[in-house]
């Protein structure tokens, strides 16, 4: 039997390969299905959609949900069963069932639920909620279903890689940043060290051009010993790599380990140089701690990329200038910045707060095409 995964590639931006979807693809393959991944947009001709037993909609963001609605007439008779998952489907499962006419919506991390659903003959219908796994030693993402040019990434690993590959060693976040729409909040689940090491070996065998690993863990150094063990694997394979973490989850011991294991860049969600805005965001960090950590990273010559968000509710010219001065004051301690304009992401706490407080049309907002001015308006005051 065949299952076709439909994935919309957002062409205005270079995206990471969809590892979450590829994990689910690997489960289907493990259970004996023939699996195909079809990249599409609303203009994809109907003849490009093959017949299959199951169509699986991987709806990675609200920004591209309308594209799935656009193709409904082209795919309605192509499969016997329609299922959906990924971020948007997890946040709005009822809408997805009613508007797309799918049989099942899998919410959250769904490897276990998908396997059980298949074992039951694909008979379950409705919304199937997540039951978090104790570890995430699932079959490796089915990268072979994508062309290699969509697996290899350029300009990662400190902006210098030509063919890096993405991985995860853990999932989840225990922090309460109000702008974040992460669905697996509240607990971090880790892979076994051997499972991770074996996947690195497989990647290097199958993707010989790989020149580094981009780790996509939400907070890589959440568990110090685990992070040290993973870093030792990269040292063992002599691989360059990069990771995401928080300033309050770094210390001299772990920074020293990262620097000795070919880590080229640590990416930090700084968000603002104004303490008032950090407090409003629920970041749980201070400007003082940020600057202390930047200094430690600089002492060990580790590259730093900072994420800065402008326009969070409460922003004004005074807080903007605090951020500018913060950047000027610390410009010798970081290498790169990604600057984002605030957008209320569906599924985030701030989205719920703002939606409850006013009658704005939230369909006007996407993370990539936001013409709204949030900061300094009467609405924010």
């Amino acid at each position: 039997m065949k299952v076709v995964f439909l994935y919309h590639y957002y062409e205005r931006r270079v995206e990471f390969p969809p590892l979450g979807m590829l994990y689910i693809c690997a489960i289907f393959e493990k259970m004996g299905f023939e699996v195909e991944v079809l990249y599409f947009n609303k203009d994809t001709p109907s003849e490009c959609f093959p017949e299959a037993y199951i169509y699986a909609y991987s709806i990675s963001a609200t920004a591209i949900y309308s594209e799935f609605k656009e193709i409904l007439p082209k795919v309605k008779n192509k499969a016997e069963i329609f299922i959906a998952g990924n971020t948007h489907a997890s946040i709005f499962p009822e809408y997805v069932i009613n508007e797309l006419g799918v049989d099942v919506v899998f919410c959250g991390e769904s490897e276990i639920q998908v396997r059980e659903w298949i074992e039951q003959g694909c008979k379950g219908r409705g919304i199937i909620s997540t039951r978090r796994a104790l570890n995430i030693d699932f079959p490796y993402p089915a990268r072979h279903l994508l062309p290699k040019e969509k697996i290899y990434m350029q300009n990662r690993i400190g902006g210098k890689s030509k063919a890096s590959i993405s991985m995860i060693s853990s999932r989840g976040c225990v922090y309460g940043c109000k702008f974040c729409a992460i669905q697996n909040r509240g607990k971090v689940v880790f892979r076994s060290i051997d499972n991770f090491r074996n996947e690195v070996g497989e990647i290097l065998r199958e993707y010989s051009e790989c020149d580094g690993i981009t780790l996509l863990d939400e907070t890589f150094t959440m568990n110090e010993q685990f992070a040290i063990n993973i870093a030792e694997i990269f040292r063992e394979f002599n691989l360059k790599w990069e990771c995401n973490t928080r300033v309050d989850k770094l210390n001299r011991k772990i920074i020293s380990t990262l620097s000795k294991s070919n880590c080229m860049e640590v990416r930090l969600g700084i968000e603002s140089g104004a303490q008032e805005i950090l407090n409003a965001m629920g970041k749980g960090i201070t400007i003082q701690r940020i600057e202390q950590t930047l200094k430690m990273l600089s002492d060990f010559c580790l590259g730093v990329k900072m994420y800065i968000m402008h326009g969070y509710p409460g922003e004004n010219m005074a807080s903007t200038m605090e951020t500018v001065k913060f950047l000027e004051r610390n410009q010798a301690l970081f290498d790169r910045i990604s600057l984002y304009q605030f957008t209320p992401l569906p599924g985030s706490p701030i989205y719920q707060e703002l939606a409850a407080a006013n009658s704005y049309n939230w369909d006007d907002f996407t993370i990539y095409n936001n013409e709204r001015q949030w900061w300094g308006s009467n609405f924010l005051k």
Side-chain angles (χ1 to χ4, degrees), residues 17 108 113 126 148 201 204 269 276:
Q113 285 68 41
K148 287 189 175 181
L204 295 180
E276 179 183 2

Side-chain angles (χ1 to χ4, degrees), residues 137 169 190-200 225-233 236:
D137 287 355
S169 65
F190 301 92
R191 297 175 64 174
S192 68
I193 298 302
D194 287 342
N195 180 269
F196 186 87
R197 178 187 289 107
N198 291 340
E199 186 183 352
V200 173
Q225 188 56 55
F226 177 82
I228 289 172
N229 291 341
I230 295 293
E232 287 299 314
I233 292 173
E236 173 186 331

Side-chain angles (χ1 to χ4, degrees), residues 22 25-27 29-30 33-37 139-148 151 202 206-207:
L22 294 179
C25 290
I27 297 294
E29 285 192 326
K30 187 97 173 160
F33 281 78
E34 176 190 353
V35 181
E36 177 182 345
V37 174
Y140 305 144
R143 296 181 178 88
H144 61 275
L145 296 175
L146 302 186
K148 287 189 175 181
I151 296 297
E202 179 179 282
E206 299 296 327
Y207 298 90

Side-chain angles (χ1 to χ4, degrees), residues 88 161 195:
H88 179 87
S161 68
N195 180 269

